Amino acid sequence: HTDWVTVVRFGPDGKQLATGDRNGGIHVWESESGGIVYTLDEHKLKVTALSWRPDGNLLASAAEDGKLVLWDMNDGWATRSITAHAQKAPSRYSRRTGTLDVAFATDGRLVTVGRDRTARLWKPDGTRTSTLGTIDSLPLQAKFSADQQKVVVGTFGGQLKTYPVPGSSGP
């Protein structure tokens, strides 16, 4: 890496490791040998999150540039680059663009949160399905519950927000 490493995630089988840095660089490494498998170059600002699809064939990256990028781990190419969280700010001192976290559900859907203070759901192909809500404090983390019926968001203000996943059949 050419700058601070900001995120590290092992692939589902532990054979690969993805790392992101403050300059927008991403490397995918072989865990055993330490050799670089892919260098992924789509982001221009700090990589804030990486998430592996459970089958290990897709890696999602999020960054301060507001993008969500889906990477094919069979060839290292971006299959989709989406402006996920970008919004005009009232002043240059109140930044509203930046995707801060991304997480896969077991079925391949994704959830993201961003500086625009929203949580969003995405289909496995990267098509946005819904915005779960506006969040009072800056959202930092988002994860699906084990049963995939809810999304939990952790905020800078110390709050946990829970949102039902639209279309889920649960209690």
Side-chain angles (χ1 to χ4, degrees), residues 7-88:
V7 62
V8 176
R9 294 288 180 268
F10 275 101
D13 63 5
K15 293 180 180 177
Q16 292 185 323
L17 175 72
T19 58
D21 69 33
R22 190 170 71 161
N23 278 340
I26 299 171
H27 295 303
V28 177
W29 311 79
E30 287 182 347
S31 301
E32 286 290 315
S33 70
I36 294 176
V37 179
Y38 301 120
T39 296
L40 311 177
D41 184 26
E42 181 75 20
H43 295 292
K44 302 304 175 215
L45 295 173
K46 179 175 86 172
V47 177
T48 55
L50 296 167
S51 182
W52 292 87
R53 192 169 67 188
D55 64 9
N57 291 327
L58 203 66
L59 177 70
S61 61
E64 289 282 359
D65 57 12
K67 289 183 183 178
L68 165 63
V69 181
L70 304 178
W71 302 94
D72 186 332
M73 289 294 98
N74 295 307
D75 59 15
W77 289 97
T79 62
R80 189 97 190 251
S81 180
I82 304 153
T83 301
H85 293 274
Q87 180 181 350
K88 280 196 168 243

Side-chain angles (χ1 to χ4, degrees), residues 133-152:
T134 302
I135 303 160
D136 296 335
S137 183
L138 189 66
L140 300 176
Q141 295 280 307
K143 301 293 181 255
F144 283 93
S145 61
D147 65 3
Q148 314 297 292
Q149 304 291 315
K150 296 179 280 249
V151 167
V152 177

